[in-house]
Amino acid sequence: MNITPLLNLLSRWILFIAVAYKASKTHEKSWVLLGTAFFIDGLNVESYIWAPLGVHVVKGAYDVASKISNFAIAILLIWGALHLKYKKSDFRHVVVMAVFAVTAYLWLFLLAVNAFGGDHFTLKSSFPSLALGGSLVYLGIILRDYAISKHHVEELFPWGLMLLGVLELTYPFTRQVEWYSTMAFFAAAIFRLIAALGALKFVFYPIGGPGSTRVIDIKSGAYLFPDREYARERLGNLMTEPTLVMVTREDPSVLKARLHPDALVFWVTRAREGLINERPTVYAVSPTNIGILVDLIAKAVNRGYRVLCVDAFEYLTVENGFDVAFKFLTTVKDLLMAHGGSVVLMVDPRSMDPRQEKLLEREFKRD
């Protein structure tokens, strides 16, 4: 039994599920676009996948139908990668994508009217394969630079996509070489599976556990302090705690030198996304991604982190409103308390109105 078609189909749907889950948690346009691309890829019109499974494309439609999916996937991958990098689409990006879409349509029109002749497979496939292969390589590069941690299992995600893209670029020239194309189809399945495994790790298991036990004896509870120095006087140097999780606005390049190597930092910023330092682990998280920030903290707690320090509450309030930011605090506080942990909130009372200050004092003990 030839498992290559099944492996290829399975890896495509794993990629879609992982990216779709990421999109559902972040609500970011980039992951929605990428998820849509991988959904189309899961239903891609490729005879070597569907024919062994008993699904056959109508004769005469294959040449055009298979290229439509190539162009659609390429446009969505490039568009999604641009949003990963720039967090938006600028005018120049829209112009480039519009030119590309028109060119793709003209190519499909030429295929439909048989302008390339009957047997010019390499010519017919050249531009669609260039578009799809180039978009996969570009997305892989953007993922490595802006979203994926390096030297970890999740780096298989971009590398698998880049290898798949390079293989796709050779498709017009090697597809009709029977002995090579068989190996190429199997290699494509392996590269997709590599990307799928990396995507699963990136989306569902982004955080490891602390390698050391607690060194600071803090009674389980929720504490409120006006600043970090006052908290240090009362609780000790939290920076030396290996089970520490920080939600902060402080520059991580300055902060990391003072932290225990096992500490975990969520740097709240719009400038970056993903892992930016390994020891201590520093993740950049958008301030509006409250849902995914809660999920990341929950995963950290499940892996043994027990002290949460939040000194970015004012910024979260500005970006989301007090009610959303306060709900975030109560959610993570309940999570830590349920595991015998501690939450240390540092907020300047002058930044809060009397009602907000009373709500904070009701949940957190002012020391």
Side-chain angles (χ1 to χ4, degrees), residues 245-281:
V245 179
M246 285 197 71
V247 178
T248 185
R249 281 284 298 152
E250 186 173 350
D251 184 351
S253 63
V254 176
L255 180 64
K256 65 184 182 181
R258 306 198 304 271
L259 289 170
H260 190 283
D262 288 338
L264 175 61
V265 177
F266 295 117
W267 181 38
V268 186
T269 178
R270 289 184 176 274
R272 295 281 301 277
E273 182 181 357
L275 186 74
I276 59 175
N277 194 73
E278 293 185 14
R279 285 185 63 82
T281 304

Side-chain angles (χ1 to χ4, degrees), residues 67 70-71 125-134 165 168-172:
K67 304 305 181 289
N70 280 17
F71 287 132
S125 304
S126 57
F127 181 44
S129 290
L130 175 64
L132 180 57
E168 179 66 33
L169 293 173
T170 70
Y171 179 80

Side-chain angles (χ1 to χ4, degrees), residues 16-17 35 51 92 125 137 192 201 205 211 216 224 238 250 288 338 343 349:
F16 163 69
I17 290 170
R92 68 183 188 279
S125 304
V137 172
R192 275 196 174 87
K201 174 63 170 69
Y205 303 100
I216 297 179
L224 176 62
L238 296 175
E250 186 173 350
T288 55
V343 182

Side-chain angles (χ1 to χ4, degrees), residues 335-347:
L335 178 66
L336 266 293
M337 299 291 283
H339 287 79
S342 304
V343 182
V344 180
L345 173 63
M346 288 170 282
V347 59

